[in-house]
Amino acid sequence: MSVTNRRKFLGLTGAGVLGVVSGGETLGASRGRAVAAAAEHVLPELPYDYDALEPHVDERTMRLHHQNHHGGAVRGLNRTEKAFAAMSKSGDFSGARKLCRDLAYYGSSHILHSTFWTNMKPATEGEPAGELADFLERDFGSIEAFRELFLAATDSAPASGWGMLAYHAEFDRLMVLQVEDHENRFLCGVVPLLVCDVWEHAYYLEYQNRRSEWTAAFMGHLIDWDNVAGRFSAARGG
Ligand code: MN3
């Protein structure tokens, strides 16, 4: 898979995104190789309309969540990267502690939200299939046990958090994890395959404090298992 296709698949590009390179500038040419300047991060468009996931997620929640929360993370990530560049230029590295924290927070938020949108599709009650289903059975005992574990972990995740099904290539296994904020509690080296946002902004307008009703709707009606299987295959180098 090419880098561009991989970025598209992972939901990290929006329309016309890759044009945001600083005028084709290349770095490192003096060492006999050319490295293109890194592009700015762009908020990816949703693969469906804001009201497409109703009645399980309302249009207003989707719009606010995508534009304000995910959009805010993308803006924060770009701001942080610019601040790193300015810090290097100035030679004053006293802000490193805050910027490293911001990079983890905003960068993880961007990855998790990009994954989350593409993990869902309208009107689906599909089931995991193929090799993904085999691994779910191997690592959790059964598909049903996986579903129960994922819901139990997601329902009990920190107030600002996520539930996650992830694959760890070095361990060659699937695991269910909780995420606190966007960047804490999960294991170094995992690739998120399926994530459920349980920050209140993800469900409060529709479900108020009934988080488990939101997670049950996610599990029962919204998961695009083809997307999850594609991520699994990519994470395994397929
Ligand atoms: Mn969110």
Side-chain angles (χ1 to χ4, degrees), residues 12 27 66 78-80 102 117 120 126 142-143 145 148 188 191 205 207 210 224-226 235:
L12 291 175
L27 308 171
H66 179 250
N78 284 325
R79 196 168 59 238
T80 302
D102 287 353
W117 308 129
M120 297 187 288
S142 68
I143 307 275
E148 288 186 25
C188 188
V191 175
L205 294 180
Y207 298 92
R210 304 186 304 276
D224 181 352
W225 282 107
D226 289 339

Side-chain angles (χ1 to χ4, degrees), residues 147-171:
R147 288 184 195 278
E148 288 186 25
L149 173 60
F150 186 92
L151 287 172
T154 307
D155 288 348
S156 63
S160 296
W162 298 75
M164 176 188 287
L165 168 68
Y167 176 70
H168 199 296
E170 284 175 71
F171 297 167

